[in-house]
Amino acid sequence: MGSRWSYPSDLTDEQWLVVEALVPAVRGGGRPAEHSRREIVNAILYVVRTGCSWRQLPHDFPPWATVFWYFKQWRADGTVDRIHDRLRAAVRDAAGRDPMASAGIVDAQSVKGSDTVGAATRGFDAGKKTNGRKRHIVVDTMGLLLAVIITTASVQDRDGARTVLDRLRFTMPSVAHVWAGGGYAGKLVDWARDRLRIGIEIVRKPLGVKTFQVLPRRRVVERTFAWIVRCRRLDHAYERLPEHSDAMIKWAMIGLMTRRLAPGPGRRPWQPSTVT
């Protein structure tokens, strides 16, 4: 990291070792690269975690235009997907799970769109009273991301589920069973069974219960959404292009999985503080 002070979002030496082999070389034009791969990754993670705009990236990072170029390039050439998928396999393996998941949970989240989101890629979710975009995701039983698509907020959950489950066939073809909320009941269940050979199990509240209740399986995907929006760049829809929103979510999960594989120093959030 050179002579600059470190930021909380920076990868530690141990965390960088986890992803180093997965990050391609940076452009040098025949000369030694001016900026290191590690600093490019740290700069992207800084934007994701803090929510700052690209142009407001601190000056001790590489120039914002350079970082943004690599953000776009690594999304377009599949680098982000490769890093994300390899880390997910490593996390599952470390937990004693088969890297190829057999079950998942599907859900959607509407987020407000900022003024950088054009009218063509935003819509109004009447149920949530939200003008912006919607994230449709499938996660495994650990809450790790298996598939994601970004739509306008006006797209119904069932319609978005068809697209994200269809994508799941390519990102994790081993999934044969998916849990979903009551809003996904109906034709989607038959379509997924007949078209994708995926069984969808609807998780409903017990009869007679009208108050809020944490439902089994559904809590897993809700926790994943909570992980995502802890990254301030993702508490709203800021990206002009939906595919960049997709990439931001994967970078958020890359940061989370890297910290899980190589925890940083200090107290974990779930550990009690030491009182002296």
Side-chain angles (χ1 to χ4, degrees), residues 20-112:
E20 182 178 11
L22 305 174
V23 180
V26 298
R27 295 188 307 174
R31 300 168 299 172
E34 184 177 354
H35 308 290
S36 71
R37 295 177 299 157
R38 183 174 179 177
E39 280 296 79
I40 298 295
V41 171
N42 280 335
I44 294 173
L45 292 175
Y46 181 91
V47 171
V48 175
R49 291 292 299 278
T50 67
C52 77
S53 66
W54 291 107
R55 294 177 183 272
Q56 294 182 19
L57 194 65
H59 295 299
D60 48 1
F61 279 121
W64 75 267
T66 300
V67 177
F68 184 52
W69 187 91
Y70 280 106
F71 172 81
K72 294 188 296 182
Q73 178 65 21
W74 288 345
R75 184 212 65 80
D77 66 14
T79 294
V80 175
D81 288 337
R82 286 190 292 273
I83 296 174
H84 174 271
D85 294 351
R86 288 284 294 275
L87 292 181
R88 182 187 62 215
V91 172
R92 288 182 59 86
D93 184 65
R97 307 286 188 91
D98 187 328
M100 300 300 291
S102 61
I105 308 100
V106 64
D107 205 352
Q109 178 189 54
S110 295
V111 289
K112 293 181 179 179

Side-chain angles (χ1 to χ4, degrees), residues 129-149:
K129 302 296 189 291
T130 300
N131 188 328
R133 287 183 179 149
K134 185 174 287 188
R135 301 160 180 162
H136 307 265
I137 69 172
V138 182
V139 302
D140 66 9
T141 54
M142 296 177 64
L144 303 178
L145 188 69
L146 299 179
V148 56
I149 63 161

